[in-house]
Structures are given as structure tokens and as C-alpha cells.
């Protein structure tokens, strides 16, 4: 029998199954207590405080990421709203354990109905609740053994795991984690990655695995095999080794037939540079400069900006750094850059380049800082005989060729030779030909392009399917832009979420995109996926995707032309 | 009553670590602190991590933090700085 879930921490783990069961039972509804309410209230508050202390102490012992997570858990146990709720229920005559259960239920319902990231916090809340109830009722808490049982690490299986359970475990005790619930941002996923232990979450039926059964867990593919044979194990281990060997290979992005595609990182400030370098980025494809401006009462000085831009240039000698000018306004308003009037529809308001037309002095200062940063970096590079990074500057929220022309002129006048625009408004994609001729490059922001093309708020979870980067209409807009750029000999990048999906990255290359920029974490997988396919395969995949009627079909059709992805577990 | 309007800058929004840091700072203040999402949102207790999480504030969204009494400005400045940190 084999099960399948979502692999969230890479690697292969085998060992006997240890199934964590025996959850704390729900205290019966309508249970009451004897005597006055005061001692019952004190009992409940004391239990909440003890659990908070215990969680914090465990975090301090574990250190690192677990410490932060458990500290937040401790805050929940002592949440004033929760404490007030428990006391009020006890005052109504409800016994402490049931009062705790009901007070938690209110917040639990709130998280469940919010879904998504908040929904994945439900397991954490339940664990805190059960710990408090166990203290009040004397019920033993299930806990995984901190040392391997039969002399070898075990595979820990549970409906869900709380950080308090996993924080003090180590690689010596646990070969792998499997949970029935949870998602990629659940604490099991985060902590297992930090521990370097393979993990599969969202694996239905896992807790029915009989205790002691030998289990193989593939944290890449999400496969969970029972009673694996030696050859099963060897096959999974060698697939993982092959994947890891190729994943860790740095070097420039290229297809199997050596077609070069620059792989760049999206960064939000100098703090992100280390991660970008570690992931083998060839430069920065999207430097979001908002971080310098947000939360400020006045614009940062030229000198302050210059230092932040120069840090990125210095990190990539011989590489490329694409800086996006301030994308503020509307949903990211700045006190010193108010829009002309209140905006009922902020995503369609005065933001990005539009705001610069009202505040040209802010644009002038930013371009000045960029120009100085490039000059200082160049002279520094000459001193150490290194190649200086190439600075490119682009503007967000550009709708027309006239705006693009205005921005490019302003950059060129400041001694910034490489001026480009983001393509994120459908009008700009439709008239890409007239925009690319007045700028030096373009970069497609797929997230906003999807939002505006589908009239679907990117923050609306309910409209998520319209934000799917595989929507054929979005692919058409990307294709139009990339074709117009290459016809005019101008580079065309993509710096949205979609570049981070290895299959989509191949499709984008097939559509004619020349550089891909993404969160640093996605670079190794994209580099590997691209390196496993020829340009011809990428083009066929792109054609197939555009020929499909739905996003799901587009994805499936593209993947059928990219056989290397399955072999690599991507 | 003093107040600060601030745009939440962290990528995770006012969740996870930023939310915990915010509440850890708020509980140290002697006075009541309220937080609402946007200018017209329902205010919640700024010392309650569960209520803050329940606001579900995302990156780029505004919150209004209010407090009253001696030292309110210092407390609000500290909280606004946490919320405005990327």
C-alpha cells in the first residue's frame, strides 16, 4: 500500500512507523463545578500560565526557528481576550476544562473560516488548548519519544504535529515526518526543513498505518511507501541524489541545448542579497525600493538611497541589477506623497509612475541616487579590476508609450543608459510594440498583469483561479510582449510569481522571455528544470499551453512536453 | 486619544513574527491599546495575539493604532515602527 501527500521538506527517510495518537478528549458539554467560581477561575488561569511557561521554556531549549514559533504560541496561551472568555464562561457555571474548550472554539472557528495561512494555524491553537485541558483534567499528553526506540530513527506519523512536539526532536530520533493535515506553510513544514528531516503533509490515511510498519517517505515527491523493498529504497535515494546534485549546481541559467536565460532574484532590500547569492542568482531582476520609503514621514535622502542601491550592485560584479522605482500610492500610501483625492478603487488609482508625475522631485531624487550608486560602484570596480554590475532602472504601472518615453528620457538625462518599464497593465502588453521601441528593455509583472487582465483583485482568495498564471489569456499577453521585444532586439524579463514555477519558467522561455526573476528560494529548481529541456521543448510546451482552453489544461499540456520535470520530481 | 496610521510592511503581513513582536511590545504598556484595520475597521485589543491575527492584515494594508494616557505617544511610535518594518 502506498499513500501520497505533499512533499514539503526534501529528502528520503525510512524507518518504523511511530503513530502519535491519543488526543486529549473533548470535555463534555454542560459540565459544571462545585463551590464558588473564584477557585475555578484561578485554576484555569494558572493552567494557561503554566502552559505558556512550558512552551516558552521548550522554545528556549530548542533555539533557532522553533524558539520564535513557540514564543508566539506562549502568547496565545496567555491571550487577554482568551483569559477573559474563560473567566466569563466559568462565571456562568461551566467547569474550567469545558470553559477553556469553548473559549478556544471561538478563535478556532475564526481561523477555520479565514482559511489559507490562518487555517493552517488551527493545529497550533488545538495543541495549546489540549495542553491546557490536559493540565486541568490530568489526562496524559501524547508525546513522541525523544530518542529512537529500536535503535533506529522512526517515522513520526500524526494527524498534525504541534511545534511543541517537534521542536525538541532531532534527526537522530526522527527519520521523517508524515501528517494527514497541514500545508506548505504549517509549522511541521517549516521546522522539518530547518531540521533537515524529510516531511510529507496533507497525506490522507497516514494515521491508519500500523505502528512499527517500515515506511519510506519521499519528501520530494510526497510518496509514502509501506514495506518498501531494497530496490524501492535505492530508487528513491538515487532519484533524490540526482536531484540534489543538479539542484545545487550553480552557474548560469541555460537550456539543455545551451540557450542562455539569465536567472535573477527578486529582492526587497540589501538584507535579501545573501540569500540571492547563496541560491546562485546571476543578479537582481527586481529590486523593490518601497522598503526605503514605507513607514516614513519624509522621503529618504539621496545618500541613504544611494547606499542601499550600491549594496546590490556591489554584490553582483559582472552581473545585472534591475531596480524598480518607487511603487507606492493607493494601497501602499506614503504620508509625504498623498494622492489628489480619496480613491475608492486604489489598485486603479494614482500609483507607481503615475505618482511621479505629481511628485517629479521624488523621482528626480531616486534617479539621482541610482546614478551616483552606479558611478561609485563603477569606480570601486575599476580599483579592484573587476567588472562592474550593470544597472537597469524600470518604472512600475506604465500604461502608454508616452509614459514610457517620459520615464526613459528622465533616466537617460540622469546618465542612466538602461531604462525600461514594467508590463503589468494590459494596455501596455497590447501595445508592447510601441513601448519597447522607446525603452531599452521591458519586464513583465505577471501578478498585476493577471489582476488587471482578469479584473480580479490579487488579494481576493475567492478569485484565486483567475489569478492562476496558467490562464491562457495571460500567456497570450506575455507572448505578445515577448514577441514585440525580440522583434525589436530588446530584452524582455518576467519578474512575477510565475517565473518561480519550473514548468512555467520553461514555458516563459518558450514564449521568448530572455530573463527570469523570482524569490531566491525558487532559483535552484528553476535552473534545474530549465537545464533538463531544450529550447525546442520549451517552445512546444509554450505552444501547447496557449492552445489549451483552461489553466489546468494549459499546465497539463505544457508539462507533457517537459518530461524532465517528472524525473526530477519538480 | 493619540493614534497612528501605518502601512504594514512585512511580507507576511501582521502575522507570525511581526504579530508576536507587536503584541509582546503592546502587553508591556500600562494603558489599553486598540488596533483596527483601515480607518473604519472594528477596533480590537492590541494585546491579544488572537484578535490581531483575526484582523488578517496583509502586507501593504493600513492599520490604525490608538492609545490614551501618559506615554501613549512613545508606545504608539514603537508599535508603528514594528508594523512598518519590512
Amino acid at each position: 500500500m502506498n499513500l501520497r501527500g505533499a512533499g514539503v521538506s526534501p529528502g528520503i527517510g525510512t524507518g518504523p512507523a511511530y503513530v502519535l495518537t491519543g488526543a486529549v478528549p473533548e470535555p463534555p458539554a454542560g459540565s459544571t463545578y462545585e463551590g464558588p467560581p473564584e477557585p475555578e477561575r484561578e485554576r484555569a488561569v494558572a493552567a494557561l500560565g503554566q502552559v505558556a511557561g512550558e512552551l516558552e521554556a521548550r522554545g528556549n531549549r530548542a533555539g533557532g526557528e522553533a524558539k520564535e514559533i513557540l514564543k508566539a504560541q506562549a502568547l496565545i496561551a496567555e491571550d487577554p481576550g482568551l483569559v477573559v472568555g474563560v473567566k466569563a464562561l466559568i462565571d456562568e457555571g461551566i467547569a474550567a476544562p469545558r470553559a477553556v474548550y469553548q473559549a478556544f472554539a471561538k478563535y478556532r472557528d475564526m481561523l477555520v473560516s479565514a482559511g489559507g495561512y490562518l487555517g493552517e494555524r488551527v493545529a497550533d491553537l488545538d495543541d495549546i488548548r489540549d495542553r491546557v485541558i490536559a493540565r486541568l483534567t490530568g489526562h496524559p499528553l501524547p508525546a513522541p519519544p525523544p530518542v529512537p526506540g529500536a535503535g533506529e530513527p522512526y517515522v513520526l506519523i500524526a494527524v498534525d504535529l504541534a511545534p511543541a512536539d517537534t521542536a525538541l526532536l532531532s534527526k537522530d530520533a526522527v527519520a521523517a515526518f508524515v501528517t494527514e493535515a497541514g500545508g506548505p506553510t504549517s509549522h511541521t513544514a517549516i521546522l522539518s526543513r530547518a531540521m533537515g528531516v524529510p516531511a510529507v503533509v496533507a497525506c490522507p490515511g497516514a494515521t491508519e498505518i500500523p505502528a512499527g510498519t517500515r515506511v519510506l517517505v519521499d519528501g520530494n515527491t510526497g510518496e509514502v511507501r509501506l514495506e518498501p523493498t531494497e530496490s524501492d529504497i535505492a530508487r528513491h535515494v538515487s532519484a533524490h541524489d540526482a536531484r540534489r546534485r543538479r539542484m545545487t549546481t550553480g552557474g548560469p541559467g541555460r537550456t539543455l541545448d545551451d540557450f542562455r536565460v539569465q536567472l535573477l532574484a527578486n529582492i526587497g532590500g540589501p538584507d535579501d542579497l545573501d540569500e540571492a547569492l547563496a541560491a546562485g542568482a546571476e543578479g537582481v531582476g527586481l529590486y523593490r525600493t518601497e522598503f526605503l520609503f514605507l513607514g516614513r514621514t519624509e522621503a529618504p535622502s539621496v545618500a541613504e538611497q544611494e547606499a542601499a542601491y550600491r549594496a546590490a550592485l556591489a554584490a553582483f560584479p559582472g552581473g545585472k541589477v534591475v531596480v524598480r522605482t518607487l511603487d507606492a500610492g493607493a494601497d501602499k500610501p506614503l504620508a509625504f506623497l498623498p494622492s489628489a483625492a480619496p480613491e475608492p478603487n486604489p489598485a486603479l488609482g494614482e500609483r507607481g509612475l503615475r505618482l511621479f508625475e505629481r511628485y517629479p522631485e521624488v523621482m528626480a531624487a531616486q534617479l539621482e541616487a541610482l546614478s551616483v550608486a552606479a558611478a561609485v560602484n563603477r569606480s570601486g570596480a575599476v580599483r579592484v579590476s573587476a567588472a562592474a554590475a550593470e544597472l537597469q532602472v524600470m518604472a512600475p504601472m506604465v500604461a502608454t508609450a508616452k509614459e514610457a518615453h517620459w520615464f526613459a528620457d528622465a533616466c537617460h538625462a540622469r546618465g542612466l543608459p538602461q531604462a525600461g518599464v514594467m508590463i503589468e497593465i494590459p494596455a501596455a502588453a497590447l501595445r508592447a510594440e510601441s513601448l519597447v521601441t522607446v525603452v531599452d528593455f521591458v519586464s513583465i509583472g505577471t501578478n498585476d498583469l493577471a489582476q488587471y487582465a482578469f479584473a480580479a483583485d490579487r488579494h481576493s482568495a475567492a478569485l484565486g483561479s483567475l489569478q492562476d498564471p496558467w490562464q491562457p489569456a495571460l500567456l497570450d499577453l506575455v507572448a505578445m510582449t515577448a514577441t514585440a521585444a525580440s522583434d525589436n532586439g530588446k530584452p524582455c524579463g518576467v519578474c512575477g510569481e510565475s517565473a518561480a514555477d519550473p514548468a512555467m519558467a520553461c514555458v516563459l522561455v518558450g514564449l521568448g522571455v530572455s530573463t527570469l526573476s523570482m524569490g531566491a528560494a525558487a532559483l535552484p529548481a528553476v535552473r534545474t528544470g530549465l537545464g533538463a529541456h531544450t529550447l525546442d521543448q520549451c517552445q512546444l510546451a509554450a505552444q501547447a499551453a496557449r492552445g489549451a482552453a483552461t489553466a489546468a489544461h494549459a499546465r497539463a499540456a505544457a508539462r507533457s512536453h517537459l518530461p524532465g520535470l517528472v524525473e526530477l520530481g519538480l | 486619544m493619540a493614534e497612528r496610521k501605518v502601512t504594514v510592511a512585512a511580507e507576511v503581513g501582521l502575522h507570525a513574527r511581526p504579530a508576536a513582536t507587536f503584541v509582546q511590545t503592546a502587553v508591556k504598556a500600562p494603558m489599553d491599546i486598540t488596533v483596527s484595520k483601515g480607518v473604519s475597521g472594528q477596533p480590537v485589543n492590541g494585546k491579544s495575539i488572537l484578535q490581531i491575527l483575526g484582523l488578517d492584515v496583509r502586507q501593504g494594508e493600513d492599520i490604525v493604532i490608538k492609545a490614551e494616557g501618559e506615554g501613549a505617544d512613545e508606545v504608539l511610535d514603537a508599535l508603528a515602527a514594528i508594523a512598518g518594518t519590512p
Side-chain angles (χ1 to χ4, degrees):
Chain A
M1 186 180 87
N2 298 311
L3 303 174
R4 183 178 276 276
V8 292
S9 177
I12 311 298
T14 54
Y18 185 96
V19 185
L20 200 61
T21 52
V24 176
E26 176 183 334
S31 56
T32 54
Y33 56 91
E34 304 284 324
E38 190 53 39
E40 190 73 0
R41 285 209 303 251
E42 276 172 20
R43 202 163 84 81
V45 172
L48 288 162
Q50 284 160 356
V51 169
E54 175 194 302
L55 290 168
E56 198 160 349
R58 279 193 190 217
N60 288 337
R61 262 188 288 157
E65 196 136 22
K67 184 176 169 180
E68 298 282 344
I69 291 172
L70 286 169
K71 213 167 179 181
Q73 300 270 88
L75 280 176
I76 293 178
E78 288 195 296
D79 189 284
L82 190 68
V83 174
V84 167
V86 170
K87 284 181 180 168
L89 289 163
I90 290 172
D91 286 345
E92 288 171 26
I94 298 169
R98 181 68 195 179
V100 167
Y101 185 85
Q102 287 182 210
F104 270 91
K106 184 180 131 191
Y107 295 104
R108 188 182 200 280
D109 293 348
M110 177 183 85
L111 297 182
V112 170
S113 64
Y117 175 86
L118 285 179
E120 290 187 15
R121 306 276 80 80
V122 168
D124 303 343
L125 199 63
D126 287 350
D127 178 64
I128 303 166
R129 178 197 65 198
D130 289 348
R131 281 171 195 280
V132 178
I133 292 173
R135 278 201 172 263
L136 290 166
T137 60
H139 190 280
L141 273 173
V147 288
E152 68 168 328
Y154 55 86
V155 172
L156 182 56
I157 301 169
V159 173
D160 210 342
L161 287 165
D165 289 329
T166 46
L168 295 179
L169 294 172
S170 75
K171 260 183 120 135
D172 303 332
V174 184
F177 294 105
V178 180
T179 64
E180 291 190 349
T185 68
S186 63
H187 284 148
T188 303
I190 295 166
L191 291 177
S192 59
R193 283 195 294 266
M195 287 164 69
V197 171
V200 170
V201 302
C203 182
T207 57
E208 283 155 39
I209 296 172
T213 312
R214 287 203 71 76
V215 179
L216 176 148
V217 179
D218 188 327
N220 302 315
T221 62
E223 280 170 275
V224 177
R225 282 180 174 270
L226 307 194
E227 305 290 5
T229 62
E230 284 303 317
S231 73
D232 285 337
I233 297 174
R235 199 176 63 247
H236 281 268
V237 168
S238 76
H240 172 66
D241 286 348
R243 183 177 190 265
R244 199 177 47 183
R245 264 200 308 280
R246 308 197 56 173
M247 289 293 172
T248 48
T249 308
R254 56 176 80 241
T255 62
L256 189 57
D257 51 343
D258 266 345
F259 178 75
R260 283 280 287 122
V261 179
Q262 262 187 328
L263 297 181
L264 310 165
N266 294 350
I267 67 167
D271 289 352
D272 296 336
L273 288 167
D274 285 347
E275 198 192 345
L277 286 164
E282 297 171 55
V284 173
L286 172 63
Y287 190 158
R288 301 186 178 92
T289 56
E290 291 81 70
F291 84 101
L292 278 165
F293 295 81
L294 284 174
R296 306 278 287 247
T297 49
E298 53 189 81
S301 69
V302 168
E304 184 183 349
Q305 292 192 47
E306 190 269 325
Y309 304 149
R310 187 154 38 87
L313 290 168
F316 292 102
K320 164 161 119 175
V321 173
V322 184
V323 175
R324 182 179 71 187
T325 55
L326 181 60
D327 187 12
D331 63 331
K332 288 178 276 189
L334 296 172
F336 51 94
L337 299 176
S339 53
E343 294 182 330
N345 218 339
L348 307 179
E350 278 188 288
R351 53 172 291 202
L353 186 69
R354 300 164 177 186
L355 210 55
F356 277 168
E357 291 178 37
R358 180 177 300 284
Y359 300 101
E361 70 282 4
V362 177
M363 177 168 90
Q366 190 166 27
L367 296 183
E368 171 73 21
L370 285 162
S371 174
V372 175
V376 174
N377 182 64
R378 255 196 313 275
S379 61
V382 168
R383 261 202 313 281
V384 296
S385 315
E390 182 187 21
L391 172 65
Q392 301 194 334
V393 183
M394 64 179 178
M397 285 299 283
V398 174
T400 66
K402 186 172 167 230
E403 291 170 345
H405 202 251
W406 179 72
F407 180 75
D409 276 355
C411 290
H412 295 157
R414 291 261 163 197
L416 294 163
Q418 288 288 319
V421 292
M422 298 272 299
I423 303 290
E424 51 192 343
I425 298 176
L430 292 167
R431 301 289 301 202
E433 182 88 36
S434 61
L435 272 83
V436 294
T437 49
V438 298
V439 296
D440 305 297
F441 70 97
V442 292
S443 183
I444 305 172
T446 48
N447 305 346
D448 268 335
L449 187 57
Q451 152 161 292
Y452 295 127
F454 289 90
D457 190 328
R458 54 192 279 194
H459 296 297
S460 164
L463 301 177
S465 65
L466 293 174
Q467 280 283 335
D468 189 328
W470 288 98
Q471 284 285 358
L474 185 67
L475 298 177
D476 284 353
L477 290 170
V478 172
M480 261 179 178
T481 309
T483 305
S486 75
D487 284 354
N488 288 279
K490 303 281 171 73
C492 171
V494 166
C495 60
E497 286 300 314
S498 62
D501 168 355
M504 179 56 89
C506 291
V507 166
L508 293 171
V509 170
L511 291 173
V513 167
S514 49
T515 67
L516 298 171
S517 191
M518 65 207 77
L523 282 165
V526 167
R527 182 186 295 115
T528 308
L530 197 59
H533 299 97
T534 61
L535 179 59
D536 199 39
Q537 282 176 306
C538 293
Q539 285 165 344
L540 287 172
Q543 228 169 50
R546 284 185 72 197
T550 67
H553 286 144
R555 182 171 183 275
R559 290 187 69 98
S560 73
H561 288 281
L562 303 167
L565 295 177
V566 176
E567 287 162 32
L568 291 161
L570 293 172
Chain B
M1 177 80 72
E3 64 173 70
R4 298 285 184 281
K5 183 175 163 201
V6 52
T7 305
V8 171
E11 200 174 335
V12 295
L14 200 52
H15 290 301
R17 188 176 313 186
T21 312
F22 186 96
V23 171
Q24 277 165 350
T25 305
V27 293
K28 289 185 196 130
M31 74 288 285
D32 287 346
I33 291 163
T34 67
V35 179
S36 57
K37 184 154 118 175
V39 279
S40 54
Q42 186 71 26
V44 304
N45 183 351
K47 302 183 183 190
S48 165
I49 180 109
L50 289 167
Q51 292 182 25
I52 296 276
L53 292 179
L55 287 179
D56 198 9
V57 181
R58 313 280 177 90
Q59 184 185 33
E61 290 184 326
D62 286 336
I63 56 169
V64 176
I65 319 166
K66 293 186 184 179
E68 193 167 30
E70 201 178 331
D73 279 315
E74 288 76 10
V75 170
L76 288 174
D77 284 341
L79 292 174
I82 292 165
T85 301

